[in-house]
Amino acid sequence: MSPTPDSAVRTVRTYIAGHRDAFLGDLAQWLRIPSVSVQPEHAQDVRDSARWLADHLAGSGFPVAEVWETDGGHPAVYAEWPSDDPDAPTVLVYGHHDVQPAALADGWATDPFEPVISDGRLYARGAADDKGQVLFHSLAVRAHLAATGRTAPAVHLKLLVEGEEEAGSPHFRALIERHHERLAADAVVVSDTGMWSETTPTVCTGMRGLAECQITLHGPAQDIHSGSFGGAVPNPATTAARLAAALHDEDERVAIPGFYDGVAELTDEERKLIAELPFDEASWLASAHSGATHGERGHTTLERVWARPTAEVNGIAGGYQGPGGKTIIPASAVLKLSFRLVAGQDPDKIERAVRDWVPTRLPAGIRYEITFNGATRPCLTPLGHPALTAVARAMSTAFDGAAIRYTREGGSGPAADLQDVLAAPVLFLGISVPSDGWHAPNEKVELDLLFKGAEAGAHLWGELRGALSS
Amino acid sequence: MSPTPDSAVRTVRTYIAGHRDAFLGDLAQWLRIPSVSVQPEHAQDVRDSARWLADHLAGSGFPVAEVWETDGGHPAVYAEWPSDDPDAPTVLVYGHHDVQPAALADGWATDPFEPVISDGRLYARGAADDKGQVLFHSLAVRAHLAATGRTAPAVHLKLLVEGEEEAGSPHFRALIERHHERLAADAVVVSDTGMWSETTPTVCTGMRGLAECQITLHGPAQDIHSGSFGGAVPNPATTAARLAAALHDEDERVAIPGFYDGVAELTDEERKLIAELPFDEASWLASAHSGATHGERGHTTLERVWARPTAEVNGIAGGYQGPGGKTIIPASAVLKLSFRLVAGQDPDKIERAVRDWVPTRLPAGIRYEITFNGATRPCLTPLGHPALTAVARAMSTAFDGAAIRYTREGGSGPAADLQDVLAAPVLFLGISVPSDGWHAPNEKVELDLLFKGAEAGAHLWGELRGALSS
């Protein structure tokens, strides 16, 4: 594919520069709506936020812009701008309009819901996560039209902006299943992630999947005296500990039989690309609030968090929890485990593997229950996939021809539901950087990067049209 | 030593039978005082109970009967009846006058503080634990005088009856240290235990010791996202689990280096005597509310709970404890451990062994704190010790010449403090049986056994005089 003509690059830049102030005014308006989805007192704000966005998108030219109700949750926004070419591919952009809680008392320098621009940064809750990264698409699509002379986008463009992402997307799967025909797309572009750093523009290629379970172990019918009975009956707290300890072997590989079946091992090229990223262990540890790295032997830290499956103890509880001691053998103990999954793993198979494994680890006299809380599939768009290359090209154009590197996300997200329900590859376009402070006080977005994101978005539809049609 | 003359046996029995009703009337009076030490609203009742007992003992002939204050806790009772022979040995009887909480609503058939006699049993809170087993000594010493024609006991008799045993004896050690000169004794007789069963009279030879600690493990400075960081930093909940799992080897022996140093192994004779007890696993499991036995390889259940040291997880906690799941790596986790110790083990050495061991099990990036909550030494009077034989003889006389077998207690108690502070061997005289329901609704004492206890007590002072003087 040919490089983007300089004229198009210039037109996009000029268009965005010319609409910069108006865009920031709109974004500030939206950021003033405290759409905190986890706080019931902000339910109307989340609703107002959805209404604001639908109105904004309609005003930006989207022929369709609707508020979609969820079943008892916060509303989402759906918008559509069909291409003028009926044969064009369809792309669905995903983002969210709800935000994390924020209060001055948490350590904000300014009111989190009164946006402030300072030193080229816009400070507000939601500036980066995710209102800024949603809204740049409304500027981007108009820049795209300006640069191409089109009256409609090069792809059938759809936007789905949910209102419950910060609350764990409890109604998202049902929502997209209900609307799967209208949401049908050839690719999904998730606009809710970030880049490696200000100076290293990157494209994310996938997220890990997730399986979560709770295992309850029952021993004595009631707490019993550890003097009278200690050493002679099985202790469910000890059993829980042994089960958690048995999750890993001495190489810190997950020791559950079958766990690694199907795992897509990193290729040499993938490992090389990851190794080339300017990784600084000290600053990574600072971001992890941790004193040391630790994990599967034979893999680097980035490989471990991006491309290797894990088993983690999220919670463990059994017996006496108060001050001092209490000499009991507890009646029960609970383990909360989560497994991060990578391409090639299936949460249903992992569930079966765990269910098969647990009873093999229990002594006589310990009964158990196990429940799985739900699952998220991993998603990964392999290096070399034309749609991924299209995103990288759009980013490179925005970043003055810079080489675009590839990252992954260790977390799991509703992107996987879109991948599942729509059977479409998931791509990621994000310009946030680690210093933006997602979920933290003084969240901000770098204005330069925000407009680079709009530039990349403006170039993306032409790139994807070529990639998805080929 | 010669057997107790039949005449003495008969006189003791006649004396006790003649004073049976008066004794039961006194005991009922005392049982009506709800001396529940753990419930602040009963503080005055515990005080009234102490006063009642001191008055009763004075009325029974004890020349000294005092209420002893503790430093901010419930009062104890101290009484003394010196022998008419200044060279006689001194024996201190230990018991307690406080009781466990009890309420009709817990499942009592009758008011727990309104004693009822039915079918040869006396039902009331404290009937067996421990008022009945304390009070029989006031009857026993008078029967002893009647049978021997003495005007004072064959030994210098002391009684110490504390008021906080059910609350964990928080001021007991300080109390006996303060009064150690007045409490000085050649032997301690603990009157707060039981026998194997109605048909198998036994004497307890010792109790296990105890060391308790809490280990707090710190990982990330705050809970962190298990998606972003999972698999790449040490998880303190996993570390806690691994530490707990590493407490035992595959033979269920405690794997802390040095833990077994000095342990008094069971002799063949001791093992044989334990094996001869009519142990019924099903009913033992029922009493343990457990579905299976489990423990150190090569030892029977009774050996495990009586004569083998243990490590138990009393509590474990880390990370998310609420409903559902939360995908975090927790900032910290806590382990509460207790170690039961047997003769030859020293809680201070165990503390050092644990403190040495913990850091060897932690990965880089996990910090820890460890605190020990206090310790109790094990106590054991070896088979063949003259004082132990004296107790067995007194019991055998009361039980019509029955063979007396030996038991131990798996728990730990203030007896060990008496052993420590007074440097005296600890003996046990108890007639309660497992069905008596200590700490449970419908606590009772078998009246036949209660008066056998009084008989044994009446014979004990002569037996001990011989044993301790020899």
Side-chain angles (χ1 to χ4, degrees), chain B residues 446-468:
Chain B
E446 302 283 331
L447 290 181
D448 277 0
L449 295 179
L450 186 64
F451 291 109
K452 294 268 188 214
E455 280 188 52
H459 297 298
L460 183 58
W461 312 133
E463 296 286 356
L464 274 180
R465 179 193 173 104
L468 295 169

Side-chain angles (χ1 to χ4, degrees), chain A residues 92-138:
Chain A
L92 175 70
V93 172
Y94 165 85
H96 62 91
H97 67 91
D98 62 321
V99 298
Q100 281 276 314
L104 259 180
D106 298 339
W108 285 76
T110 57
D111 183 340
F113 297 107
E114 190 47 65
V116 169
I117 291 178
S118 168
D119 280 339
R121 295 163 174 167
L122 171 61
Y123 290 88
R125 172 57 86 222
D129 177 22
D130 184 35
K131 286 173 174 170
Q133 299 203 99
V134 166
L135 209 65
F136 76 55
H137 285 286
S138 90

Side-chain angles (χ1 to χ4, degrees), chain B residues 418-436:
Chain B
L418 291 164
Q419 171 192 250
D420 268 17
V421 173
L422 307 182
V426 173
L427 310 166
F428 298 85
L429 180 71
I431 49 72
S432 182
V433 287
S435 62
D436 283 352

Side-chain angles (χ1 to χ4, degrees), chain B residues 218-233:
Chain B
H218 300 280
Q222 60 187 53
D223 290 353
I224 59 174
H225 194 284
S226 73
S228 305
F229 302 107
V233 295

Side-chain angles (χ1 to χ4, degrees), chain A residues 109-404:
Chain A
T110 57
D111 183 340
F113 297 107
E114 190 47 65
V116 169
I117 291 178
S118 168
D119 280 339
R121 295 163 174 167
L122 171 61
Y123 290 88
R125 172 57 86 222
D129 177 22
D130 184 35
K131 286 173 174 170
Q133 299 203 99
V134 166
L135 209 65
F136 76 55
H137 285 286
S138 90
L139 180 57
V141 68
R142 286 178 287 133
H144 163 63
L145 300 184
T148 56
R150 292 175 169 279
T151 55
V155 297
H156 298 301
L157 188 59
K158 299 177 177 180
L159 257 74
L160 179 62
V161 183
E162 73 159 317
E164 297 188 303
E165 198 271 347
E166 301 294 2
S169 303
H171 304 93
F172 186 69
R173 179 91 186 197
L175 183 78
I176 63 176
E177 284 176 346
R178 187 158 73 245
H179 294 290
H180 75 273
E181 288 184 11
R182 292 189 71 188
L183 293 169
D186 298 297
V188 173
V189 173
V190 170
S191 199
D192 183 29
T193 57
M195 313 196 302
W196 180 263
S197 74
E198 288 83 339
T199 52
T200 305
T202 51
V203 169
C204 175
T205 64
M207 301 181 84
R208 291 195 287 191
L210 178 65
E212 280 183 274
C213 70
Q214 173 169 316
I215 303 168
T216 307
L217 300 165
H218 300 280
Q222 61 187 52
D223 290 353
I224 59 173
H225 194 284
S226 72
S228 306
F229 302 106
V233 296
N235 177 331
T238 306
T239 306
R242 291 176 181 184
L243 202 55
L247 281 170
H248 300 86
D249 67 15
E250 59 194 8
D251 289 331
E252 295 291 351
R253 284 173 62 87
V254 179
I256 298 169
F259 185 79
Y260 288 94
D261 288 358
V263 161
E265 298 292 333
L266 284 165
T267 64
D268 289 346
E269 188 198 356
E270 285 169 325
R271 300 191 74 167
K272 180 167 164 286
L273 288 174
I274 290 174
E276 283 172 4
L277 285 165
F279 178 74
D280 176 58
E281 184 172 281
S283 62
W284 185 88
L285 282 173
S287 74
H289 303 275
S290 293
T293 63
H294 188 81
E296 187 184 352
R297 183 176 299 201
H299 288 280
T300 66
T301 294
L302 286 181
E303 290 173 2
R304 288 168 178 167
V305 292
W306 286 352
R308 298 302 299 169
T310 67
E312 288 286 352
V313 179
N314 306 125
I316 186 168
Y320 182 63
Q321 317 268 321
K326 189 176 178 190
T327 50
I328 55 167
I329 295 173
S332 64
V334 174
L335 262 183
K336 290 174 186 282
L337 305 179
S338 64
F339 302 92
R340 295 286 165 176
L341 310 178
V342 300
Q345 284 180 306
D346 175 343
D348 295 336
K349 287 185 183 162
I350 296 300
E351 176 175 339
R352 283 197 294 278
V354 174
R355 286 185 183 279
D356 287 348
W357 175 74
V358 169
T360 69
R361 307 294 310 183
L362 307 183
I366 297 284
R367 294 170 299 109
Y368 77 105
E369 296 147 23
I370 183 165
T371 53
F372 276 75
N373 305 334
T376 304
R377 283 175 206 286
C379 55
L380 182 72
T381 305
L383 296 183
H385 188 292
L388 183 62
T389 305
V391 179
R393 284 171 56 97
M395 283 287 282
S396 181
T397 302
F399 282 86
D400 305 310
I404 302 301

Side-chain angles (χ1 to χ4, degrees), chain B residues 44-214:
Chain B
Q44 185 58 47
D45 294 317
V46 182
R47 186 164 291 280
D48 290 348
S49 163
R51 187 72 263 158
W52 185 94
L53 178 61
D55 290 348
H56 172 88
L57 293 173
S60 300
F62 279 80
V64 173
E66 304 171 356
V67 171
W68 278 4
E69 294 298 328
T70 56
D71 192 11
H74 300 296
V77 172
Y78 175 73
E80 219 179 293
W81 198 332
S83 177
D84 44 13
D85 172 6
D87 295 331
T90 302
V91 178
L92 175 69
V93 172
Y94 165 85
H96 61 91
H97 68 90
D98 62 322
V99 297
Q100 280 276 316
L104 258 179
D106 298 338
W108 284 77
T110 57
D111 183 340
F113 297 106
E114 190 46 65
V116 169
I117 291 179
S118 167
D119 280 340
R121 295 164 173 166
L122 171 61
Y123 290 89
R125 174 56 87 222
D129 177 22
D130 183 34
K131 286 173 174 170
Q133 301 203 99
V134 165
L135 209 64
F136 75 55
H137 285 286
S138 90
L139 180 57
V141 68
R142 287 177 287 132
H144 162 64
L145 299 184
T148 57
R150 292 175 170 276
T151 55
V155 297
H156 298 301
L157 187 60
K158 300 177 177 180
L159 257 74
L160 179 62
V161 183
E162 72 159 317
E164 296 188 304
E165 198 273 348
E166 302 295 1
S169 303
H171 303 93
F172 186 68
R173 178 92 185 195
L175 183 78
I176 63 176
E177 284 176 347
R178 188 158 71 244
H179 294 291
H180 76 273
E181 288 183 11
R182 292 190 71 188
L183 293 169
D186 298 296
V188 173
V189 173
V190 170
S191 199
D192 183 28
T193 57
M195 312 195 302
W196 180 264
S197 75
E198 287 84 339
T199 53
T200 306
T202 51
V203 169
C204 175
T205 64
M207 301 182 82
R208 291 196 286 192
L210 178 65
E212 282 182 273
C213 70
Q214 172 169 316

